[in-house]
Amino acid sequence: MARGRIRAKLRRSSLYTFGCYRPHLDEAEEPHLFQGPGYSRTVYCNQPHLHQTKPLKYSSNYISTTKYNVITFLPKAIFEQFRRVANVYFLLAAILSFSPIAPFSAISMVAPLALVLGISMAKEALEDWRRFVQDMKVNLSKTSVLKKDGLFGYKPWMKIRVGDVVKVVKDQFFPADLLLLSSSYEDGICYVETMNLDGETNLKVKRALEVTLPLDDDVAFKDFTGTIRCEDPNPNLYTFVGNLEYDRQVYPLDPGQILLRDSKLRNTGYVYGVVIFTGQDSKVMQNATKSPSKRSRIEKQMDRIIYILFSLLVLISLISSIGFTVKTKYQMPDWWYLQAPDDQNLYNPYKPTLSAIYHLVTALILYGYLIPISLYVSIEAVKFLQALFINQDIHMYDEESGTPAQARTSNLNEELGQISTILSDKTGTLTCNQMDFLKCSIAGTAYGKRASDVELAAAKQMAMDLDGQEPQTSNNPIPSNGGHVLQENGGHGFGVSEIELETVVTSRDEKDHRPVIKGFSFEDSRLMNGNWSKEPNADIILLFFRIIALCHTAIPEVNEETGSFNYEAESPDEGAFLVAAREFGFEFCKRTQSSIFIRERGPSFQESIERKFKILNLLDFTSKRKRMSVIVRDEYGQILLLCKGADSIIFDRLSKSGRMFEEATTKHLNEYGEVGLRTLALAYRKLEEAEYSAWNEEFHKAKTSISADREAMLERVSDLMERDLMLVGATAVEDKLQKGVPQCIDKLAQAGLKIWVLTGDKMETAINIGYACSLLRQGMKQICITTMNSDMLGQDSKEAVKENILMQITNASQMVKLEKDPHAAFAIIIDGKTLTYALEDDMKNQFLKLAVDCASVICCRVSPMQKALITRLVKEGTGKTTLAIGDGANDVGMIQEADIGVGISGAEGMQVGNISDSLLFFHDKAVKVFG
């Protein structure tokens, strides 16, 4: 991999055949014709001084996530303090203390109030100062910017202006929204990691316009000028419309050329870009919502108590005033030792009503200590010290990343003890989002004997059920020879009577002290160390290994410490496949412009042979295709199509002769899915030279088409080739659970907390992950609510779907209500499509009532918006304290809706860590604070 300013020679356009084809200049799209408002932004490239005056006076690149600034701190902080009823009372009492009717000196009333407000505001200022320091670390980060003399020099991010040309090197974040001009690759592509924006860990491919590719070094930008006309700032991360006027020509721009702030450059030596949006105008800041001002329930309860105390105070003062009125009117004239009326008319027998009013005010001040101002001082001090304890808790410190827990605010500390419902994301929160190659099925034979987390959790639960007592919990993994396999005999999940426990027989030679390999947890001596060559279907096993080593878009990088290769892949699954291929003896070691090189070890596993495979075409993976294929020519001239994808897609494309292992592979895939593993099917096809040449000609025509349906044509032509496949086998990778999660959830359940898991996984996977993390337990009765099969096109069918869902909810509610066993526990599993209807106004209350009666709730295939809506429903519907936990930007809405939000520094980025001051922000061990 090229680093620094060395030009990488690898042209990637031959790989990304779908999205990355660049037509010739004479075939290019027409420039965008802007109409209406929203497209008024003009950027003069390399001329930032032109944007300093109106109407082009754009915002600076300085960003702030603080709650206050120097000007707004006093009014905002004072407003926050006087949201407390007690402070309002003390303020009124302090004002009245300056009057002659006050029984105390003014200082005795003003000083306590000033002390309380001062301490509270000082705490707010300190917490906001910490946020300011974090902001300044970002604002003072430096990047290389083109200066007036034509040379690049470093500038802090906060001084970058619209129109600046910047250079970003590998593994750096983009300081603003940029238009990509060129990169270290000859064809101007670069790889971008966007997990801080959208929570996705896979890399995105961006490509520069062909006309700007010659701008490939620092000197080339000395006289560079151009004009960008584009859309105004908006929060849409995946859209961009604009034109580049350069060299007397106009070229259209699209999202493929835009590099967004807070995304990271990966696998690319460097890129050059021109700044389009800065600071608050950047898309990531446009997506930043103002956090709600959260107050704890104890604070709100204290306000209610203050109302009661104040009412009691008024009652006491009224009684005192009435007595004083009677005394003043009827008895005071006979008191010769008093001068009545006095000089100030505070007691006047002839105006008893006025005297009563004066006395009422005096009594309110005199008896005012019934409302304890010192209580607020104590509570503020305790909250502040608790936040310090959280920040310094050694049990919530992550040694691997050096990240401590951070209490972003101390206003919500006491809420942690009041939680009734926990709503959690799954990927990256309950699981590590780190894929491990665990099992595989090749030629109808299952390989891999290590148990998954789901199997271990179910085996523990079964052991507990059989022994009648809870087994000792331990963070140490169970040895593979003591694991168990669970077999499901129908239905979702594992029923009490549906489980058979079998001992997994693992060979003794695998109990060696082999070092842990990240991404590879496979154990089976039949395939390791070249033993696969002794298996009955060795030729198919060889083909299986070559498919996982060749069918990908990853890039190898030499690890200077170990000498082995690290793989930068678009997805964690792909990386796990390459690590597995390496361990099996098929190491992907090099990629050139048109070839892939694999080091294959022979049966002896000692010598290695480097084999070259020429890449002819690569049909990329998309969410619509659900498959990926690569067409290669081996050393013997044989053309092969290698394909991997979802089993339902692959099985539909098998030839009659290619279904030999379909039945056995389907059985293995079902078993893998039941134990929470992610599966893919692998297949291949041999191609004749004439057949491939005819297809490639059609494919080239579709690729070079400039019509609007070019993507559809590519899909159709690709589909023609991905037919008549021969099934090879299937893979199963595991997304490992975070350490301690099952034990933590078990303790939370014992404490009576309701736990909701909101995930994007399919229902079967979510159910089995539920068993793995103790969210679902043996003996717990499951209620699965799904939509019936319907096209949902007409109004009638929608009404029928709603009626069906309502009937399911009603029947389930009746079942829960009629349950006679007081110890019975229920769990709801519902998918996102069903939630669309269940969250509507006419049904959400029935759904919530059912969910509240259940111990666990799992929501599958939910969108970020649905996560927020579910959280709002639980919070407002139950009136109890809710806690939301997540690690990705897709969890932001859920976290902000909950009473308490916990952001985790996980594999999906740090976006949630910077949402607002109303969060508690921990690293991935924070779950232990609740355990």
Side-chain angles (χ1 to χ4, degrees):
M1 181 66 196
R3 297 181 181 275
R5 295 174 57 185
I6 301 175
R7 294 287 289 174
K9 298 299 181 184
L10 175 61
R11 294 184 63 89
R12 306 284 291 187
S13 55
S14 59
L15 298 182
Y16 288 88
T17 54
F18 279 11
C20 297
Y21 170 71
R22 182 191 296 107
H24 296 293
L25 291 178
D26 56 351
E27 300 175 346
E29 299 177 52
E30 291 296 321
H32 298 288
L33 300 176
F34 301 131
Q35 295 179 353
Y39 300 96
S40 63
R41 195 173 187 91
T42 302
V43 177
Y44 297 102
C45 303
N46 202 18
Q47 302 174 78
H49 60 280
L50 298 180
H51 307 114
Q52 301 303 308
T53 58
K54 292 183 178 181
L56 301 180
K57 194 169 185 179
Y58 301 135
S59 63
S60 70
N61 203 37
Y62 177 89
I63 60 106
S64 175
T65 61
T66 58
K67 193 173 182 179
Y68 312 104
N69 59 38
V70 175
I71 299 174
T72 63
F73 174 73
L74 211 56
K76 276 190 175 182
I78 290 175
F79 172 77
E80 287 292 328
Q81 295 306 315
F82 285 108
R83 292 177 67 188
R84 296 172 176 170
V85 177
N87 286 346
V88 175
Y89 166 75
F90 293 133
L91 176 64
L92 294 175
I95 293 172
L96 292 174
S97 68
F98 288 95
S99 66
I101 59 175
F104 306 122
S105 63
I107 189 64
S108 64
M109 297 299 297
V110 173
L113 177 63
L115 179 64
V116 171
L117 296 182
I119 291 176
S120 299
M121 292 172 66
K123 180 177 72 70
E124 287 281 318
L126 179 60
E127 291 174 351
D128 210 51
W129 172 259
R130 290 173 179 165
R131 289 188 286 272
F132 172 75
V133 170
Q134 290 178 348
D135 288 342
M136 289 308 296
K137 285 183 180 179
V138 175
N139 289 322
L140 294 176
S141 300
K142 292 189 176 182
T143 195
S144 184
V145 181
L146 182 64
K147 297 183 177 180
K148 292 181 180 179
D149 55 5
L151 301 176
F152 279 81
Y154 286 98
K155 269 188 182 181
W157 282 18
M158 60 189 294
K159 292 187 178 180
I160 291 175
R161 300 173 294 173
V162 172
D164 274 334
V165 175
V166 301
K167 180 180 181 180
V168 179
V169 300
K170 181 182 175 183
D171 293 331
Q172 284 188 351
F173 289 94
F174 300 115
D177 291 353
L178 311 176
L179 168 66
L180 175 61
L181 297 175
S182 63
S183 77
S184 58
Y185 290 112
E186 287 184 351
D187 51 358
I189 70 147
C190 69
Y191 295 90
V192 176
E193 183 183 83
T194 61
M195 64 183 180
N196 277 350
L197 303 179
D198 53 19
E200 296 183 10
T201 55
N202 58 305
L203 303 181
K204 309 286 192 304
V205 181
K206 302 289 184 178
R207 179 183 288 277
L209 293 175
E210 189 169 0
V211 69
T212 60
L213 292 185
L215 303 170
D216 56 1
D217 56 25
D218 294 2
V219 179
F221 285 94
K222 184 175 183 180
D223 300 318
F224 166 70
T225 58
T227 304
I228 299 171
R229 304 187 191 278
C230 63
E231 63 186 20
D232 294 335
N234 63 70
N236 300 320
L237 293 175
Y238 307 108
T239 62
F240 181 82
V241 178
N243 292 329
L244 172 64
E245 299 175 11
Y246 176 67
D247 199 18
R248 299 183 181 181
Q249 296 288 330
V250 181
Y251 305 92
L253 304 175
D254 59 51
Q257 287 102 38
I258 304 303
L259 308 174
L260 299 182
R261 179 185 175 123
D262 276 359
S263 51
K264 181 190 283 189
L265 182 65
R266 296 290 300 274
N267 300 341
T268 310
Y270 58 85
V271 296
Y272 292 99
V274 61
V275 178
I276 301 177
F277 298 118
T278 51
Q280 299 299 323
D281 290 343
S282 61
K283 289 187 180 287
V284 66
M285 296 306 295
Q286 289 280 311
N287 275 275
T289 57
K290 288 189 177 181
S291 59
S293 183
K294 298 181 180 179
R295 300 179 67 205
S296 67
R297 292 177 184 270
I298 289 182
E299 194 171 301
K300 294 176 183 176
Q301 183 66 26
M302 286 175 62
D303 282 352
R304 287 190 284 270
I305 294 173
I306 295 299
Y307 284 127
I308 296 172
L309 291 176
F310 184 72
S311 300
L312 182 61
L313 174 61
V314 171
L315 178 62
I316 295 172
S317 300
L318 281 173
I319 294 173
S320 178
S321 297
I322 292 171
F324 182 78
T325 302
V326 173
K327 288 283 186 180
T328 301
K329 184 175 182 179
Y330 297 106
Q331 297 182 16
M332 190 169 287
D334 299 330
W335 295 345
W336 57 268
Y337 52 84
L338 290 180
Q339 181 182 356
D342 65 316
D343 297 337
Q344 298 177 342
N345 263 340
L346 296 182
Y347 46 92
N348 188 342
Y350 308 109
K351 297 180 179 179
T353 304
L354 182 62
S355 299
I357 294 174
Y358 287 149
H359 186 272
L360 176 63
V361 175
T362 302
L364 287 173
I365 299 174
L366 185 62
Y367 306 143
Y369 289 104
L370 186 66
I371 299 176
I373 193 170
S374 61
L375 176 63
Y376 282 92
V377 178
S378 302
I379 288 177
E380 290 296 326
V382 168
K383 285 182 176 182
F384 181 74
L385 292 175
Q386 281 179 340
L388 293 181
F389 288 145
I390 291 174
N391 293 345
Q392 298 177 13
D393 191 339
I394 193 65
H395 296 294
M396 292 192 293
Y397 175 76
D398 183 31
E399 296 179 359
E400 185 176 343
S401 64
T403 309
Q406 296 178 27
R408 308 272 299 177
T409 180
S410 59
N411 291 338
L412 302 171
N413 294 354
E414 64 271 25
E415 291 288 87
L416 289 172
Q418 311 297 318
I419 296 167
S420 173
T421 305
I422 296 176
L423 302 102
S424 174
D425 176 41
K426 183 189 76 69
T427 303
T429 303
L430 298 180
T431 62
C432 301
N433 200 28
Q434 174 194 318
M435 305 305 167
D436 279 3
F437 190 94
L438 193 67
K439 299 174 186 287
C440 62
S441 171
I442 309 175
T445 303
Y447 297 94
K449 297 182 178 180
R450 175 173 287 189
S452 70
D453 283 348
V454 173
E455 293 176 281
L456 295 178
K460 283 183 181 181
Q461 187 64 42
M462 177 56 76
M464 184 182 71
D465 292 342
L466 294 175
D467 297 342
Q469 58 184 0
E470 184 176 356
Q472 293 289 330
T473 58
S474 173
N475 287 332
N476 298 323
I478 295 178
S480 59
N481 63 340
H484 301 82
V485 172
L486 296 175
Q487 294 184 341
E488 183 183 12
N489 296 328
H492 294 294
F494 305 97
V496 179
S497 62
E498 297 172 346
I499 303 179
E500 296 179 5
L501 213 58
E502 296 181 359
T503 303
V504 174
V505 180
T506 305
S507 56
R508 291 286 180 182
D509 61 349
E510 288 184 5
K511 291 188 64 178
D512 56 2
H513 299 285
R514 184 166 57 88
V516 176
I517 301 170
K518 185 177 180 180
F520 189 74
S521 298
F522 182 86
E523 284 186 1
D524 197 326
S525 59
R526 291 175 293 173
L527 295 185
M528 300 301 294
N529 301 320
N531 294 334
W532 59 267
S533 60
K534 303 173 186 177
E535 289 292 295
N537 293 297
D539 55 336
I540 299 179
I541 297 176
L542 172 64
L543 194 55
F544 177 91
F545 292 152
R546 284 182 176 173
I547 291 175
I548 62 175
L550 293 170
C551 191
H552 58 80
T553 58
I555 297 174
E557 286 189 326
V558 178
N559 187 321
E560 296 178 356
E561 295 181 0
T562 63
S564 62
F565 289 96
N566 295 333
Y567 301 111
E568 294 290 350
E570 287 198 27
S571 68
D573 305 66
E574 204 169 77
F577 291 151
L578 290 172
V579 172
R582 182 185 67 198
E583 296 304 312
F584 289 133
F586 293 76
E587 184 177 40
F588 165 49
C589 59
K590 183 180 178 183
R591 185 192 289 276
T592 66
Q593 179 176 343
S594 59
S595 301
I596 285 182
F597 293 83
I598 306 294
R599 287 180 189 161
E600 296 185 1
R601 294 188 182 183
S604 64
F605 219 66
Q606 296 298 323
E607 72 282 354
S608 63
I609 302 173
E610 188 173 283
R611 300 191 185 277
K612 175 183 177 182
F613 295 85
K614 185 176 182 180
I615 302 174
L616 302 179
N617 302 90
L618 192 146
L619 312 181
D620 206 4
F621 177 91
T622 67
S623 57
K624 183 179 179 180
R625 285 168 40 81
K626 295 184 180 178
R627 64 190 183 277
M628 171 190 177
S629 301
V630 60
I631 302 176
V632 299
R633 188 191 300 273
D634 64 16
E635 294 175 325
Y636 306 105
Q638 175 67 57
I639 301 177
L640 296 171
L641 180 140
L642 310 177
C643 183
K644 67 181 181 184
D647 55 281
S648 59
I649 301 295
I650 299 298
F651 287 174
D652 287 343
R653 287 165 169 74
L654 296 178
S655 65
K656 289 184 179 180
S657 59
R659 298 180 179 272
M660 186 185 308
F661 314 115
E662 182 180 10
E663 184 178 348
T665 305
T666 301
K667 178 176 178 290
H668 297 151
L669 284 169
N670 290 334
E671 291 175 356
Y672 297 156
E674 288 163 9
V675 294
L677 303 180
R678 297 160 63 121
T679 59
L680 284 178
L682 306 184
Y684 81 102
R685 178 184 175 190
K686 291 183 178 180
L687 304 177
E688 298 297 331
E689 191 73 42
E691 178 188 11
Y692 170 73
S693 298
W695 175 86
N696 191 45
E697 186 176 343
E698 290 294 319
F699 186 75
H700 182 72
K701 287 181 181 178
K703 191 170 66 171
T704 56
S705 171
I706 59 173
S707 61
D709 59 346
R710 184 171 71 92
E711 295 295 325
M713 293 172 62
L714 280 169
E715 290 275 357
R716 181 181 58 79
V717 176
S718 300
D719 189 64
L720 291 175
M721 177 57 73
E722 294 168 324
R723 294 283 177 180
D724 300 324
L725 302 176
M726 305 285 289
L727 182 63
V728 174
T731 61
V733 297
E734 179 182 27
D735 191 359
K736 303 288 287 184
L737 287 174
Q738 300 273 11
K739 288 184 179 179
V741 164
Q743 294 88 341
C744 173
I745 290 182
D746 190 51
K747 290 181 180 179
L748 291 172
Q750 292 177 26
L753 274 70
K754 304 293 178 62
I755 303 170
W756 294 45
V757 170
L758 314 180
T759 176
D761 285 333
K762 60 184 179 181
M763 185 172 287
E764 292 79 6
T765 304
I767 288 174
N768 292 299
I769 290 295
Y771 277 102
C773 64
S774 297
L775 189 67
L776 301 177
R777 297 176 291 280
Q778 304 304 327
M780 182 178 281
K781 298 182 180 179
Q782 296 178 16
I783 301 171
C784 293
I785 302 177
T786 58
T787 53
M788 63 182 183
N789 292 329
S790 172
D791 294 337
M792 298 185 193
L793 297 177
Q795 187 64 30
D796 293 339
S797 64
K798 288 185 178 181
E799 290 300 323
V801 171
K802 290 184 67 173
E803 288 179 11
N804 179 266
I805 295 171
L806 185 58
M807 184 178 67
Q808 292 182 61
I809 293 174
T810 304
N811 292 341
S813 298
Q814 283 294 112
M815 183 178 71
V816 174
K817 189 181 296 183
L818 296 175
E819 177 60 50
K820 296 181 180 179
D821 184 1
H823 301 292
F826 293 86
I828 289 182
I829 299 99
I830 187 170
D831 59 32
K833 189 184 295 184
T834 310
L835 274 170
T836 304
Y837 298 96
L839 293 176
E840 291 184 0
D841 292 338
D842 57 346
M843 203 184 299
K844 64 182 182 182
N845 291 328
Q846 292 96 315
F847 168 67
L848 179 63
K849 186 176 179 181
L850 171 62
V852 166
D853 291 334
C854 297
S856 302
V857 180
I858 298 178
C859 301
C860 319
R861 296 295 192 195
V862 292
S863 65
M865 178 61 72
Q866 284 178 322
K867 288 184 178 184
L869 292 175
I870 293 168
T871 306
R872 183 185 302 173
L873 176 64
V874 176
K875 181 178 70 173
E876 296 178 353
T878 63
K880 297 180 180 179
T881 306
T882 57
L883 167 72
I885 308 175
D887 73 324
N890 56 334
D891 302 317
V892 169
M894 173 179 73
I895 288 175
Q896 289 187 329
E897 281 291 345
D899 294 299
I900 311 170
V902 173
I904 293 179
S905 169
E908 290 190 37
M910 293 273 289
Q911 181 68 17
V912 292
N914 299 311
I915 297 169
S916 73
D917 63 297
S918 58
L919 294 180
L920 292 167
F921 171 51
F922 300 126
H923 63 85
D924 59 1
K925 290 183 182 177
V927 73
K928 292 186 178 179
V929 78
F930 306 112

